[in-house]
Each structure stands twice: as C-alpha cells, then as structure tokens.
Amino acid sequence: MSGALYRGRFAPSPTGPLHFGSLVAAVGSYLDARAAGGQWLLRIEDVDTPRNVPGAADEVLDVLRRLGFEWDGEIVWQSQRHGRYRDVLDLLRRQGDVYPCACSRREIADSRLGSSIDGGHVYPGTCRGGLPPGRETRAWRMRVPDASIGFVDRVQGPIGHNLEREVGDFVLLRADGQYAYQLAVVVDDADAGITDVVRGADLLDSTPRQIWLQQRLGFATPRYAHLPVATNAAGEKLSKQTLAPALPAAAGVPLLAAAMRFLGQPVPAEVERWSLHEFWPWAVASWSIETVPRRRGIVPAADAQCLPP
Ligand code: GLU
C-alpha cells in the first residue's frame, strides 16, 4: 500500500494526562500507519469543552514527542472547528436528517424503551414528528433507520446494529450547546481524508452511528480496526475517571514495549535496552495486526501494571 492510500490518526481527548489505555491506541494507530507506508495525523478532541482539563493537551503532546512519535502535518484542534460543525448540521437540517428535540434525560429514561447499546436509553422518538405544543428545543437529533448498519472490523470481525432499535435517534447538538463527539469525529475524519481509523474498542458501538452519518453526508467510510481496551484490576477502562496513573514518559522504550505486548506483538527482552531510535524502525517492521487479540472491553491490565517504575 502506498503512502497516498493510507492516512491514519490518533485523536486524544484532553481530559487528563496520557494513560496506558490511550498509549495503546497511539502505538497501534502509529505502527499500523507506518507499516503501510502511510501518514499519521494528530487531532486534539477538545470539542467537549466542559470536560477539557487546562494544560492536558500540551502534556499529552509533550509525552508523545518524548516517546518519539512523529506526526504528519498540522495538529487539528476541534475547538477551532465549530463553524464547520455548524455548517454540516445546517446541511443535515436542510436534508431533513435532524430534528429539534425537547425531551429531558428524565423523560427519555421514563419512557422505558430499554437500554441502548452503550448503556444509555434508546430514544423513543417523541419529537420525531415535531416538538410537542409549548415545548422548546433542547437538542438536535439525527434520524436513524430501522435497519442494520454493519461493517467488518479488521480486528473484531463483522459488527452491526439496528440503529433504531439498539441506539435510537442520537444527539448531534446537545442541550448545553456543545456539538456531539459523533458529529465532530465524522466531519474531522472526512475533512482530513482519513482512510483508516485504529482506536480503542470502547468506541466500537459508536461506529455504526458514524457510518450512518457518513452515508447521509456522502463521505467515504474509512476502514476500522478496534483495539483491545486496557482496564484496571476492577475491569474498568483506564481513564481519568478511574484515576489511571499518568505515564512516565521517561520510561521510553520499556513503556512502548509494554503497549506492543498488550497488542499481542512479541517483543524480545533485549529490545527494552534499545534507544528510541533503534526501537521505532524495528517496531514498524515487526507490526502485525493479525496477532492483535480480538477482545472487547475486558482485558486484565497486568501489562499496564508491569510498567517500569
Ligand atoms: N477522543 C477519543 C478518545 O480519546 C477517541 C476518538 C476516536 O479515536 O475516534 O477516547
């Protein structure tokens, strides 16, 4: 595959310092792109302004730099792209794909339609035919079809959901005025010409929604590879919420080797003594997505705990 045919990316949310879970996504997306002779772009997903932690983005970029990651082109910041998201939402409005919704979380929970695939509630469609009299717009929702939207993931195999029954019409502009992740990620990946999305399997359930948006917007659907997610001993995804420790960037190669082993890549012990300059070309040449374990969510974090002090 030539470089022009592969454009990958890493898209961290600056909600805290880089932890082992996001390092795994960085390493997997980087090696997959470089092994294909492709480009690797960086995007800071700071669209959700209330969750951004001041200074976290710079800290993440600093750790990536010190670990020897090299990205192509300018870094994209979602916080600078609100005008573009507004234009795309307007287009969806003109196409009749989105509608205003007055429902509160409580009203949706009370409708008892059951849990959605990602643990929320399936939207019952209350405002699909228009706002109930006297009610005001809170959010804008994307209409979904009563049809299965599927794809073949390079790691997880065939995946599909019936969007209406398992997810429901989903929010693109939230009640607090923030654009939703689902909209931003689809627009950003398309505008950057991303051909390959390699990310954590915690986002697997979002992918059919994103593919539906791509279809309605006439965007190409990239190839997807969803990597196993690092959890702590309690089986929780490593994140700022679970107080995952910040990574010691000074740990260098042994830290990168731990991320590779987590991704099912054999790493001989002597590699840990190499410099970053020796490590990266070897890692790119030895990358094989075929040996990445096909696991979703629950992965013992033994590797994450074996980090060098
Ligand atoms: N910003 C998301 C995260 O940090 C990743 C989104 C994506 O890769 O599509 O978990």
Side-chain angles (χ1 to χ4, degrees), residues 24-270:
V24 165
V27 168
S29 61
Y30 189 76
L31 293 179
D32 199 59
R34 297 304 191 213
Q39 295 181 321
W40 187 74
L41 283 64
L42 256 192
R43 177 167 77 231
I44 301 295
E45 300 219 311
D46 55 354
V47 70
D48 191 353
T49 36
R51 291 183 65 223
N52 293 339
V53 172
D58 289 337
E59 218 177 306
V60 167
L61 294 174
D62 181 56
V63 173
L64 291 175
R65 248 181 233 115
R66 286 196 288 145
L67 288 172
F69 287 91
E70 288 172 359
W71 49 89
D72 295 294
E74 297 284 307
I75 297 172
V76 171
W77 298 75
Q78 287 186 331
S79 54
Q80 294 171 6
R81 291 177 46 79
H82 285 184
R84 175 73 175 132
Y85 306 144
R86 190 189 49 233
D87 291 348
V88 172
L89 193 68
D90 278 344
L91 173 67
L92 289 169
R93 228 174 250 158
R94 289 196 298 276
Q95 291 182 176
D97 282 311
V98 292
Y99 62 86
C101 172
C103 300
S104 65
R105 272 173 206 270
R106 168 111 321 270
E107 287 167 324
I108 296 168
D110 287 349
S111 72
R112 296 209 191 84
L113 253 197
S115 295
S116 63
I117 194 124
D118 53 5
H121 293 274
V122 174
Y123 181 64
T126 319
C127 299
R128 256 193 168 190
L131 287 176
R135 297 291 304 270
E136 285 186 5
T137 303
R138 286 171 55 87
W140 283 80
R141 285 185 186 272
M142 179 78 191
R143 270 177 223 286
V144 295
D146 181 10
S148 180
I149 301 285
F151 67 104
V152 180
D153 190 87
R154 292 169 62 209
V155 174
Q156 311 291 339
I159 303 286
H161 302 148
N162 179 297
L163 284 183
E164 185 170 298
R165 279 180 254 156
E166 296 179 73
V167 180
D169 295 341
F170 55 96
V171 169
L172 294 188
L173 181 62
R174 298 182 345 199
D176 62 2
Q178 303 287 329
Y179 292 98
Y181 155 72
Q182 307 291 357
L183 177 68
V185 75
V186 164
V187 175
D188 293 345
D189 282 342
D191 287 358
I194 297 300
T195 61
D196 285 79
V197 171
V198 178
R199 61 184 178 189
D202 52 313
L203 292 162
L204 194 54
D205 290 337
S206 286
T207 306
R209 263 172 277 184
Q210 294 173 12
I211 292 175
W212 174 240
L213 266 171
Q214 289 155 4
Q215 290 178 355
R216 295 304 305 158
L217 289 165
F219 294 160
T221 291
R223 296 197 303 169
Y224 288 96
H226 285 85
L227 306 174
V229 173
T231 65
N232 63 17
E236 300 162 323
K237 182 194 162 197
L238 297 182
S239 69
K240 191 175 133 254
Q241 287 72 27
T242 57
L243 302 179
L247 289 177
V253 170
L255 185 56
L256 296 164
M260 278 187 81
R261 290 199 183 102
F262 184 85
L263 288 170
Q265 311 295 303
V267 183
E270 79 238 33

